[in-house]
Every structure is written in structure tokens, then in C-alpha cells.
Amino acid sequence: MRIDLHTHSLVSDGTDTPTQLVRKAAEAGLDVIALTDHDTFDGIREAKLAAERAGIDVLAGVEMSTQLNGNSVHLLGYGCDPHDHALLDELARVRVGRSDRVPAMVAKLSTLGLPLTVEDVLAQAGGASLGRPHVADAMVAKGYVATRDEAFAGYLHDGGLGYVDRYSTPLTTAIDLVHGAHGVVVLAHPWGRGRREDLPEAYLTELVFEHRLDGVEVDHPDHDDDTRAALRAFAESLGLLTTGSSDYHGLGKTRNPLGAHSTHADVHAEIVRRIRSRGGQP
Ligand code: AMP
Ligand code: FE
Ligand code: FE
Ligand code: ZN
């Protein structure tokens, strides 16, 4: 079994439709993928239909944009009831926060000598869950930078010259919302990109005991070998599930090919078992 539990479609900031994503996953020899678009379930239905035809399994997921002490933390929710009102309301609030600051980011970039309009950004998003990646794509389209990565590195990273802050869900609220929707909670790339200081061992322990955190993503392109080894050992000492994934974004993150990392079949089975036992929808 080859299992990749973190992928994006163009419903958020990937570049494949959910159907294309599922077909590519089947071609890459994967047996299971989780679709985990940012702050939306909108691609799940299409992905499930495509999966039936392609002969693979799609696990319903979402990647929530949360914050802890002002620092961004991503959380993967698996098997949530997609009609849970409390969770849906919160996801909508986050999406509005992500998109409402686009005019301010465009204005900042324009004063930096990189004129851009909101329409330019909307043209890149095509109705997707709008955010910084689409601002980056608009900058690429204008020829200001060569790639999305360059746009983030030069301007759009947290605190960057073109960055504008936005609402995101407090981390512990997000964990409780996913559990309230009968889902399983796995922290996405918790120690990637210098985030380790934000989520030290003592705090992760608190999340396990006070919020019943289910697992952490260990094998992820943002974690180097040492980080993976340290996080795996710590997670196992706490009885946390450990997952692996590509965080595939299509052409949006060219260094994350489908199946770049994978999740052990026993861990996948345990995630599905927990979802079923909680009344969720894998
Ligand atoms: P936003 O939610 O609008 O603040 O945008 C954040 C999203 O941008 C994240 O969820 C990532 O998918 C994406 N992102 C962050 N850093 C980078 C980067 N260096 N390269 C490409 N995408 C990135
Ligand atoms: Fe993304
Ligand atoms: Fe993420
Ligand atoms: Zn992701």
C-alpha cells in the first residue's frame, strides 16, 4: 500500500482539478490519497467520484490555517462531517480573512514598484479558496518573479514586504472543532521552516493530554532527516500517530511530487478506525 495523506487541488492552491489529482495519484502507483485543501471541503465530492473510477481511495481531509501566539500552524483534519455547522462557519471566517486582505497586499506591492490589481489576483485564483499563493501567481504572470517560491521568499513570507496579516483560528479551537465534527487531528509539518520553537515538546504534550491531539506529520518535505528522526521518537514516546505525505500542490510546489513521502498502512487504518468510531465520514 502507498498512502499519501496531504495533497492540494486547485480548489485551494494546487494546480490540478480534484479529478486530475486523483488520476495522477493512480498513475503514480498510490493506493490512497487524502485531499487536504486549505480551509475548504469543496473538492472532496469530485475527488471521491474520480477515485471510484480510478480504483484508488480518497480520504476526506482539510488543512486548517490556525495560529498559536501569532505564529501560523497548519492542522490536518481527517474524516470530518462536511456539514458540521461550527466547523463550516469557522472555515468560512478564515477564508474571508485570507481573501479580504488581498487588496491591502496588492497596494503594498504597488508602492514597492510592482503594480498589481485585485483583478490580476482573481484571474489566477479562478474561484479557488483565495490567498497569498494566488498573489504570488499574479506576480509570476506579470514577470516580477520567476516562481511562486521566489514571490514568497522576496515579498510574501510572514512579515515580508508584501505581507498583510489576517484572521486564523486559534490552534486549540481548531483541534476542538475537528473533534466536534467527529474527525481526527494531525498537526501538519509541525517542525518545518523554523517552526520547532513555536511547538516545543512540552506544548505538544499539553495538546495530547488536554486536547487529545491524534498525530503529527513526520515525513514531510519541510522536515530534514534529523528533524524527522527527533519528531518521530518524540511522537512515539507520547503514543501519537505519525504520518507521511508529499503536500503536493501540482505546479505550485514543484519540489513536492505525489508520493514524495508516505504513511504506513497501519497508521492509515487506525485513522480510519478512529473516524468511524467517532461517527465521522472517512
Ligand atoms: P495565506 O493563507 O493566504 O496566508 O497563504 C498561506 C499559504 O501559502 C500556505 O498555506 C501555503 O500553502 C502557501 N505558502 C506558504 N509559503 C510558501 C512558499 N514559500 N512557497 C509556496 N507556497 C507557500
Ligand atoms: Fe498550500
Ligand atoms: Fe501546510
Ligand atoms: Zn498543505
Side-chain angles (χ1 to χ4, degrees):
M1 291 270 278
R2 289 193 64 217
I3 301 164
D4 182 343
L5 291 188
H6 183 167
T7 71
H8 296 266
S9 77
L10 53 65
V11 168
S12 63
D13 58 346
T15 54
D16 294 318
T17 66
T19 301
Q20 288 166 339
L21 167 64
V22 166
R23 285 196 191 134
K24 288 181 185 179
E27 282 163 17
L30 291 165
D31 301 291
V32 182
I33 62 165
L35 179 62
T36 53
D37 274 314
H38 297 286
D39 307 302
T40 175
F41 297 120
D42 284 357
I44 302 291
R45 260 178 84 88
E46 183 186 324
K48 290 251 187 203
L49 286 171
E52 272 179 39
R53 293 195 297 271
I56 69 167
D57 271 339
V58 165
L59 174 63
V62 65
E63 183 172 19
M64 290 182 75
S65 306
T66 85
Q67 55 89 15
L68 175 68
N69 304 322
N71 296 310
S72 159
V73 177
H74 286 177
L75 172 161
L76 297 162
Y78 295 115
C80 298
D81 172 2
H83 304 293
D84 183 89
H85 283 291
L87 179 56
L88 286 177
D89 286 353
E90 183 63 18
L91 293 178
R93 187 175 174 194
V94 172
R95 288 197 305 272
V96 168
R98 293 181 76 197
S99 58
D100 268 11
R101 96 286 210 198
V102 167
M105 301 217 316
V106 162
K108 271 194 162 181
L109 291 166
S110 297
T111 62
L112 292 170
L114 306 171
L116 210 61
T117 66
V118 173
E119 287 68 36
D120 295 331
V121 177
L122 289 173
Q124 297 299 323
S129 176
L130 189 68
R132 269 185 284 172
H134 308 102
V135 177
D137 291 346
M139 293 171 71
V140 174
K142 287 273 182 194
Y144 300 151
V145 289
T147 62
R148 228 187 227 187
D149 269 348
E150 233 178 73
F152 270 92
Y155 302 95
L156 301 178
H157 60 272
D158 291 13
L161 290 170
Y163 178 71
V164 175
D165 202 8
R166 56 155 165 99
Y167 174 77
S168 48
T169 312
L171 173 59
T172 55
T173 303
I175 294 175
D176 296 347
L177 280 168
V178 170
H179 283 148
H182 317 295
V184 164
V185 180
V186 172
L187 289 186
H189 44 75
W191 287 357
R193 301 189 193 195
R195 288 190 181 92
R196 185 167 178 171
E197 303 91 86
D198 303 339
L199 292 166
E201 283 87 336
Y203 187 71
L204 292 176
T205 305
E206 205 176 301
L207 291 181
V208 173
F209 287 99
E210 289 175 24
H211 294 272
R212 295 175 298 112
L213 175 67
D214 292 283
V216 287
E217 193 174 49
V218 169
D219 295 309
H220 182 281
D222 288 357
H223 290 159
D224 61 26
D225 290 348
D226 290 348
T227 302
R228 278 177 217 158
L231 183 56
R232 191 185 326 278
F234 173 68
E236 284 172 357
S237 77
L238 275 178
L240 281 165
L241 301 173
T242 58
T243 65
S245 75
S246 60
D247 203 355
Y248 175 78
H249 281 67
L251 301 175
K253 283 189 185 172
T254 49
R255 281 168 299 177
N256 301 24
L258 273 167
H261 298 286
S262 55
T263 296
H264 202 284
D266 295 345
V267 173
H268 170 250
E270 175 61 15
I271 289 172
V272 172
R273 192 196 65 74
R274 286 189 195 185
I275 294 166
R276 292 224 164 89
S277 76
R278 293 171 190 175
Q281 299 177 23

